[in-house]
Each structure stands twice: as structure tokens, then as C-alpha cells.
Amino acid sequence: MFNNLKDYPNQLSVKQALWMTILLSSCVAIHPLQVLAETKNTASETAESEHTVIPEKISNIDINSVNQDPQNPNSVKLVISTINEPSELPVTNPSITSVEEFTDFSSNATDLTLNPGDTNDSMAQVNSVSQFRDVSPSDWAFTALQSLVERYGCIAGYPDATFRGNRAMTRYEFAAGLNACLDRIQELIATATADAVTKADLETLERLQGEFSTELANLRGRVDALEAKTAILEDQQFSTTTKLYGFAWMNLAAGFSDGNIQRELGFRGADGNPVIDTVNDPSTTFTGLVWLDFVTSFTGRDSLVLQLAMGTSNSFPGPLANSYASAGLDYSFADFTTGPGAVTPGEVTVRELYYQFPVGDKLQFVIGPRFNYFRFLEGNQFSFAFTKGAPIFNYISFNSANSTLVNAIDRGAGAIAMWDMSDKFLLKLAYMGETDEYLPSPPFNSASDPNQGLFGGTNTLTAELTYKPSRTANVRFLYTRTNMQGYDVTGSGNRQLCCGLTEPFYGVADDGLGGDVSNGTADTFGINADWRITPKFGIFGRYTYGSTKVYPTTPGVPDGEINTQSFQLGMAFPDLGKEGAMGQLSFLIPMDITSGRDYLVSGAGNGGTWYEIEGSYFVPISSNIALVPSFSVVVNPNNFDNNPTIFIGNLRTQFNF
């Protein structure tokens, strides 16, 4: 391409633009003057031999090696004008996600981006580098960036007038940027613009070539070393299509109250009333959980995900705070990173296995024998995010992580369709048959049981419509239809609705008299919103209403209904204390029973209303380590208004590798 320009100044101008684009975007920490000097030196070599073509030198350099943060290939968007990025997938990524990226991705806070090149981060071309509010003349790359923006016009900024030059970028983004500048180069070639380079430019480059000869030699050595390392990585890499990501959590937890806590055990006594016992404060615990994610892409836009999990917590009662809970209210006072990760502690289990692929630019599908409902649905940009970096869990219990009543299945087999309808609307449809990894099979994991199958047992059908009034706000409308299976877990021959598979209610239900029930059905309606009002402050909230039908099998006992609702209101404080941190404080009512209390063997308490105040603070220590101190104040626990208040504290350490 360069040899078509016989005029030396035009060759120099073109190569100068190309070198500045590559070196600036690759984040190699060198002075911008070195970029200009390297351009001059390389151009001189080309002038001596027209057979030496710069792209041949560059093609051997692995972009991930040049990038100074190879573990963070998708944490930033360096967007180039006129070019749309192709869809990118990886599912998870081991570096801590910044607060800005939460907001940029808030519309799909718990799933993969549907069309990254079509998001609200689309850029408008700027005419001057001074339009970037985060770029100053003292920045090391200011001169190079100024030339790319003002002289060649192939770099654009974010809508908030920032360039975000300290972040890494994906290979797709690099290709898009390079392509934009190559297009500009082709224009220069076609027009042979006479003023593409000035005499002053040539004099400056000649002076820089001599002044920075030592630095240029060092730069060549670094590139040679990178090429050698790339060759080693290619020979020794785990797989050409699969990447391994690791996540580990350590939790130090303690709880105390002013007296014994009443809890219901999930069956009725001889008098027909729920059996109640009391529990003292548990001892302090220290537990851990590890996930290993194998992410395979065959086309660059699809993802085959295998997630393995193993934890150290006891299988029952599990996390420390579960000791307080009535039957069926497990994890109401804790979260799964404190749990065993499988039926048996220390056992490695398949937590997720699914395949995600696009159909065109606006539609994606997820299919698999086990995927996480909350990876794709019911998101919150401030507390619960699976993408644009490592999983972020900025909460102390499931009650504040997502709606408590929204779905009976955490992991299931089935499919999800996600349609990016427009810039403002995103529609998701999901069907799941129960295959929760923490429940024993049989009688659970009905979707993989040939006696029940994918459409038998407990299953849910969900529709979620997300409306994005702005780049920093989301409103999600959700409906779920649930078919829940009855289980005989007491050995009495009578089935109950139970075992953590009963949302939209928490607990255990029978026919109200201790008798058998057949499978139940439920309808759940929810609204979930979050809004980052300013860069340092946001709000979020949820409301969910559910109605569960109970079908007794004893003749003469009428059908019944359990109606419940839940609330949450919260505040978030992005970048609290340091960049990337997130503080959060919320008030919530996990389950308010509006009618049908008599059908509950566990969960109804004595008619009190259980509510909580929860706070957490996500603090990134480095790109691979974060601390999350959190607390919870539980009033009227288990819906007993005479239960003492419980105070729970947890210190979570998160590792990403």
C-alpha cells in the first residue's frame, strides 16, 4: 500500500498516522515523541527499500501481548468514528469491573451484550483534542492523540466528552480503530494531498530521530521480546478456542441477637400447628467458594460456557446466617458465595453449562442443561453483575441481590431468547426446567430425570421487558408463570410445596391441615428499576407481587391461594472513597404475606412483618482482588414479631485470576 506513494512526504505522513494509531491504542508505555521518531525511522528504511512494508512487521505482534493488561480484554471501549464493532462475547473476565462500565452496560447488567457496536456508547466525531475533558497537554500521549483527532480525524470520544485513555481495549476495538485510520490513509493515497506533511514536520522528525535514538532501540527490543513471548504462548497455550477464568471468595461471617430466635421446621405437630423451635447465635465461620469457568468461542461471537464450583461450607445448615432461618427460607440471611457450591461440601460440581450464540445483530439465544437465571434476568447495575469483568456481588444476602419472589429456579435447563428491539427496549424470554446443583437427585433435578423431563417437575416461563430511558437508567417489567412440583420430604406420604422451589413465596406449604397437595402454579409480576443520577450517586428499587395456587388432594378440602409481595429501596454510591468502589444501602421487606397464611407450614411466623436494612461496600484492592465488608439488620426475622433483632456481619474477599 505504501509503495503506491512515490512521494516521500506522503509516505511519511501515511506511516506516521498508522504508527501513532497502533502504538497509541496498544497502550505501550512510551513517550509520544518516540512514536513520531519511530515513524520517521521506519519511513526512512522504507524509502531505502520499497519492498519493506510496515504491515508485515506489525502482523507478527500479538495484540494481547502488546496490550499491557492482557487479562482484561473487554473492559473498555475505545470507539473509532464511522466503524461499528463486531459483537464480542466473552462471558466473564477476570479483572475487576469499573463503575463506569457498570453504567455503560446497565441495560444488560446480568447478561452478555447483544450488540456492542450498537449500544448507547456510540461516539460522535470530535474536531479537537481539547473536547476531551479527561485529556490534558501533560498526558504522555497528548501529542499523538492530538494528531489523530485534529489532523487525521479517525478517533472519536464518548458521549460524556471523555476519551478514557487509561483503559485496555478488545481486539475487535483495535481492529475497528485501525480500520478507520487505514481508511483515512487510503483517502490520502487517493488524493495525494499536497499539504499532508510540512517541511517543519520533516525537520522535527529528523531532530527526534537523533534525540531519541536510544529509546527507539529499546522500543525495537521490546517488540522483539513480545514476539518471542507470543511464540511461546502460542506453543504452550491451554487451547486455541478456550479460556480459563477463576474466581474465589473467602467469607468471614458472624451473627448475634438479643435472645433465641424462633424458627419453623416445615411440618405440623399433633395439634395441626407448625412445629417451632429456637436457635442460639451461631459461632463465627470462615468459608470459601471457587468457580472455574471454561469459556470457548468457535466464531468469536458465540460462547460455550462450563462453570465448575466447589465450596467448603457445611451442606446443612450451610452458611452461618442460615442457622437462623425457618425451613424454606435458606439463604435469606446469607448469599451463595458462603455456601458449599454443591450437594456435598468439597465436591466439584457443574454449576453451569450452556451455549450462547447470535442470530443476526439483534437476536441472541442461550441453550443448555444448566444455566443461571440471574446471569441473564432481573439485573441491577449497582449490586449484581456478571459481565464486563469479574462477577460483582455487592450485597450480603440474596434478599438484597435480586427480587426474593421472582423465580423458583436458580439454575435450570432450557433456553433464553434476547431481542435488542431498539436503543430503548430489550426483550427477553426464558423457559427453565429445574436442575439446581445444590439439590440432590432424585427427587430434584427434574429436567434431567426421564420420569419427569424438561417439561415436568418444577419449571418456569419468564418474560422481561427492559426500558432504557437514558444511558444511566433502566426499568424492567417482568412476568413469570411457575409450575411447582410437590415433594414428600417428611416421609409421611404427604407432598408439600417446599425446598426452596416455591417462589413467589418463601417457606413450606400444604393443604392447611397437614394433608397432601399436588403440583402448584403461580403467577408473579415485578418491576425493577435502577438509575445512576450522578456519577457518584444512584438509586434502585423493586416491587414484586405473586399469587400461588394450592391444590389439596384430600376430598372436601378446597383449593387455596397464597398471595405475597416484596419491596426494596436502595441507594448506591459509585467510586466511594476510590475509583471502582461501590457503596450500597437498602431497605427491604423480603416477603409480606397478604393472604393464605394458613397454608404455610413454614414462613408465616406469628403474623409479623419481616424487614431488613442492609449495607455493603465493594472495594477493589487491585485488578484481581476486592474486599466487600457488609452488614444486615434483620427485624422480626422469620415473620415472628416477637423475635429479637438479628445483626449479621460478613467480610468477603474476592479473587479473580
Side-chain angles (χ1 to χ4, degrees), residues 615-633:
S616 59
Y617 183 35
F618 182 91
V619 187
I621 305 303
S622 69
S623 61
N624 299 100
I625 303 174
L627 294 178
V628 189
S630 56
F631 73 90
S632 177
V633 179

Side-chain angles (χ1 to χ4, degrees), residues 441-507:
S441 178
F444 305 103
N445 284 268
S446 57
S448 59
D449 184 346
N451 295 316
Q452 297 173 301
L454 181 62
F455 301 102
T458 299
N459 57 74
T460 63
L461 181 64
T462 299
E464 181 186 74
L465 178 65
T466 299
Y467 169 59
K468 299 173 284 187
S470 71
R471 191 178 64 87
T472 60
N474 306 277
V475 182
R476 304 172 187 87
F477 304 92
L478 185 142
Y479 168 75
T480 297
R481 174 68 176 181
T482 303
N483 296 306
M484 58 185 72
Q485 182 177 351
Y487 298 96
D488 177 15
V489 295
T490 65
S492 65
N494 293 328
R495 291 169 295 173
Q496 300 174 317
L497 304 179
C498 65
C499 312
L501 300 174
T502 60
E503 286 90 337
F505 75 86
Y506 270 6

Side-chain angles (χ1 to χ4, degrees), residues 126-334:
V126 294
N127 300 316
S128 172
V129 72
S130 63
Q131 292 177 253
F132 296 132
R133 58 185 176 86
D134 60 343
V135 175
S136 65
S138 61
D139 292 333
W140 70 265
F142 179 83
T143 304
L145 181 60
Q146 183 180 44
S147 182
L148 288 171
V149 172
E150 300 177 5
R151 189 168 188 178
Y152 298 100
C154 58
I155 294 292
Y158 284 81
D160 60 356
T162 61
F163 179 67
R164 306 181 191 178
N166 289 326
R167 299 184 183 176
M169 66 178 178
T170 68
R171 296 167 69 92
Y172 287 130
E173 293 163 346
F174 175 83
L178 181 59
N179 188 66
C181 287
L182 286 175
D183 286 346
R184 177 59 178 158
I185 290 171
Q186 293 290 356
E187 292 177 11
L188 291 174
I189 294 174
T191 59
T193 306
D195 59 351
V197 64
T198 65
K199 183 177 180 180
D201 289 332
L202 294 176
E203 293 174 350
T204 299
L205 289 173
E206 289 173 354
R207 176 176 55 82
L208 291 173
Q209 182 180 10
E211 184 177 346
F212 291 95
S213 58
T214 302
E215 287 82 356
L216 290 174
N218 291 337
L219 176 60
R220 292 191 190 93
R222 292 175 64 181
V223 172
D224 291 341
L226 288 173
E227 289 178 341
K229 290 180 180 179
T230 300
I232 294 173
L233 290 173
E234 290 176 347
D235 291 338
Q236 300 178 357
Q237 62 184 327
F238 168 74
S239 170
T240 58
T241 58
T242 302
K243 293 184 178 181
L244 172 63
Y245 302 105
F247 312 101
W249 295 271
M250 297 181 183
N251 288 275
L252 181 65
F256 64 92
S257 61
D258 294 333
N260 292 339
I261 301 297
Q262 300 173 84
R263 60 180 186 179
E264 296 165 304
L265 301 183
F267 56 91
R268 297 183 187 271
D271 60 359
N273 293 319
V275 175
I276 299 171
D277 77 349
T278 59
V279 62
N280 296 320
D281 291 335
S283 300
T284 300
T285 59
F286 190 27
T287 61
L289 177 69
V290 174
W291 288 354
L292 295 178
D293 282 12
F294 297 84
V295 181
T296 302
S297 182
F298 305 103
T299 67
R301 301 182 65 200
D302 63 338
S303 287
L304 174 65
V305 179
L306 168 64
Q307 184 178 90
L308 304 179
M310 188 275 287
T312 66
S313 177
N314 289 338
S315 56
F316 186 83
L320 169 139
N322 273 359
S323 301
Y324 293 116
S326 291
L329 275 63
D330 305 328
Y331 289 94
S332 295
F333 310 129

Side-chain angles (χ1 to χ4, degrees), residues 488-563:
D488 177 15
V489 295
T490 65
S492 65
N494 293 328
R495 291 169 295 173
Q496 300 174 317
L497 304 179
C498 65
C499 312
L501 300 174
T502 60
E503 286 90 337
F505 75 86
Y506 270 6
V508 179
D510 61 12
D511 67 352
L513 302 172
D516 180 65
V517 295
S518 63
N519 295 349
T521 61
D523 296 286
T524 306
F525 305 86
I527 182 171
N528 166 5
D530 53 71
W531 180 21
R532 188 173 176 183
I533 301 174
T534 72
K536 300 289 186 178
F537 179 71
I539 58 175
F540 59 93
R542 293 179 171 95
Y543 174 78
T544 307
Y545 176 84
S547 180
T548 303
K549 297 287 186 180
V550 180
Y551 301 104
T553 61
T554 303
V557 179
D559 296 345
E561 192 172 271
I562 303 170
N563 296 314

